[in-house]
Amino acid sequence: MPTPAKTSREALVAIALKLVDANGAEALTIAAVAEAAGVRGPSIYKHFADRAALLLAVSVAVIEQLAAVMAPETTGRSPRQRLFSMGVAYRRFALKSPHLYQMIYRPDFSGDPAIGEASRLSVQPLFDELAAAGVPPKRLLSLARVLVAFLHGFVSMEASLAFRLGGDVDKAFEEGFKTLLDTI
Amino acid sequence: MPTPAKTSREALVAIALKLVDANGAEALTIAAVAEAAGVRGPSIYKHFADRAALLLAVSVAVIEQLAAVMAPETTGRSPRQRLFSMGVAYRRFALKSPHLYQMIYRPDFSGDPAIGEASRLSVQPLFDELAAAGVPPKRLLSLARVLVAFLHGFVSMEASLAFRLGGDVDKAFEEGFKTLLDTI
DNA sequence: ACCTGAACACCGTTCAAGT
DNA sequence: ACCTGAACACCGTTCAAGT
């Protein structure tokens, strides 16, 4: 006779996202998730194989959130303006939710197919805009890699307070990103 | 009556570096360090306040190693060629020791003064080369940030296998880095 | 002054038993 | 079919006792 489920995979991911957003990945303990879900620790294992699987689900969700904040920027104006505001939205997300942002590009689950699929979907708008801007197919992949590398590097350094020598960080971001966009 | 020290701070850092290099930060356990040092767990606390202090010492050591692999590249040829080969050396280090590389730009100890000091020393050659290349003082900080952001973003994505759509990754690196160097 | 065993709190995980 | 308490191994850390 089945006992009614007190929680669900989706509810647990939502809880996990909140925990990581608030206090980073190490705050994502089985005990904390279980308590927030109104359930005992071992029950989590009915929904996820282990803690790593939960972390991976959070990572996928973060990639989807990043794609979602960039999507509204793919409308109106020129391809180049859209690309610039996509970058600005990317940076804004990373600075607003640094703990969540840190969940992406983690070597631990880099090989996972779910991450691969989410990544593929989230960079598609970038490819589309680059193509719309007239970038030849041969250069598409290289240029996309360069742009994302700059965005990721800049915002992850910024989020980890690596730019501590003063000066105008906003200006550096704009300068670097526009320099790369100018090669289109 | 003092018992002779069986280990030292430097020996423990060397052990910690090996553990992290081989299996990542989570392999750096007090028990593993103690065993490799021929000592019992609690003795570690005579040399480091806690595990976080050990991780921080590893991070500082990695920053110094990165500076050391770039130093030989600051000789001969033109400033631009030196800057390019510094970037190549940076990337080579990150790809050869991905676990060690991951120890830098960690938000957890971003505010630490030891990290700040090591970072300051390690970027000095970059500033010097940029100045030698004729970059005006006003642009120095911005340009250095842009270059390091690109390097960090590219190699950390590469090390976490984020570039999985085929194509020529070496070419993308060269393209992006040279585009940024061209603004000198 | 440094090292040690014993102890504690916490964590992820397993499993047999409950409904 | 999902939930639970009990149990286990492992971990970081403290501390009084040893030399």
Side-chain angles (χ1 to χ4, degrees):
Chain A
M1 208 155 292
T3 27
K6 288 187 180 174
T7 187
S8 66
R9 190 184 160 87
E10 302 81 53
L12 294 178
V13 171
I15 289 166
L17 276 164
K18 254 188 215 166
L19 288 171
V20 173
D21 193 17
N23 294 303
E26 90 282 358
L28 180 51
T29 65
I30 298 290
V33 172
E35 189 185 6
V39 112
R40 302 291 172 160
S43 296
I44 305 299
Y45 295 86
K46 289 293 158 181
H47 302 275
F48 291 91
D50 50 24
R51 179 175 178 273
L54 237 179
L55 278 167
L56 190 126
V58 169
S59 186
V60 170
V62 171
I63 294 171
E64 290 167 353
Q65 284 189 19
L66 242 179
V69 301
M70 290 196 291
E73 310 296 336
T74 62
T75 160
R77 299 150 301 163
S78 69
R80 197 197 130 108
Q81 284 174 312
R82 288 194 289 273
L83 285 162
F84 183 74
S85 57
M86 283 168 72
V88 170
Y90 187 104
R91 180 171 174 235
R92 195 186 307 126
F93 177 86
L95 297 186
K96 203 212 287 184
S97 303
H99 289 129
L100 289 185
Y101 185 77
Q102 276 184 254
M103 295 298 295
I104 70 177
Y105 305 126
R106 305 237 310 190
D108 354 353
F109 25 76
S110 54
D112 191 90
I115 297 283
E117 173 66 2
S119 301
R120 208 182 53 72
L121 287 173
S122 75
V123 294
Q124 192 54 52
L126 173 60
F127 283 113
D128 293 345
E129 289 300 337
L130 288 173
V135 174
K138 292 257 159 129
R139 283 193 62 223
L140 256 184
L141 189 55
S142 272
L143 188 48
R145 280 171 171 160
V146 166
L147 289 170
V148 176
F150 172 76
L151 287 175
H152 172 59
F154 198 97
V155 304
S156 62
M157 290 184 71
E158 193 176 6
S160 66
L161 309 180
F163 298 144
R164 67 201 110 193
L165 297 180
D168 191 337
V169 177
D170 289 352
K171 205 193 77 193
F173 175 80
E174 190 172 322
E175 241 183 65
F177 196 51
K178 285 194 169 163
T179 295
L180 296 173
L181 286 180
D182 279 340
T183 65
I184 291 178
Chain B
M1 211 155 290
T3 28
K6 290 187 180 173
T7 187
S8 66
R9 189 185 159 88
E10 302 79 53
L12 295 177
V13 171
I15 289 166
L17 276 164
K18 253 188 216 167
L19 288 171
V20 173
D21 193 17
N23 294 304
E26 89 283 358
L28 179 51
T29 65
I30 298 290
V33 172
E35 190 186 5
V39 110
R40 300 294 172 158
S43 296
I44 305 299
Y45 295 87
K46 290 292 158 183
H47 303 275
F48 292 91
D50 51 23
R51 180 176 178 271
L54 237 179
L55 279 167
L56 191 126
V58 170
S59 187
V60 170
V62 172
I63 293 171
E64 290 167 353
Q65 284 191 18
L66 242 178
V69 300
M70 289 196 292
E73 309 297 337
T74 61
T75 160
R77 297 151 302 163
S78 69
R80 196 197 129 108
Q81 284 174 312
R82 289 194 288 273
L83 285 162
F84 182 74
S85 57
M86 283 168 72
V88 170
Y90 186 105
R91 178 170 175 237
R92 195 186 307 124
F93 177 85
L95 297 186
K96 203 212 286 182
S97 304
H99 289 130
L100 290 185
Y101 185 76
Q102 276 183 255
M103 295 298 295
I104 69 178
Y105 306 127
R106 304 239 307 192
D108 352 354
F109 25 77
S110 53
D112 191 89
I115 297 283
E117 173 65 2
S119 301
R120 207 181 55 72
L121 287 173
S122 75
V123 295
Q124 192 54 51
L126 174 59
F127 282 113
D128 293 345
E129 289 301 338
L130 288 173
V135 174
K138 292 257 160 129
R139 281 193 63 222
L140 256 183
L141 189 55
S142 272
L143 188 49
R145 280 171 172 161
V146 166
L147 289 170
V148 176
F150 172 76
L151 287 175
H152 172 59
F154 198 97
V155 304
S156 62
M157 289 183 71
E158 194 176 6
S160 66
L161 309 180
F163 298 144
R164 68 200 110 194
L165 298 178
D168 190 337
V169 176
D170 290 351
K171 206 193 76 194
F173 175 81
E174 190 173 321
E175 241 184 64
F177 195 52
K178 285 194 168 162
T179 295
L180 296 173
L181 285 179
D182 279 340
T183 65
I184 292 177

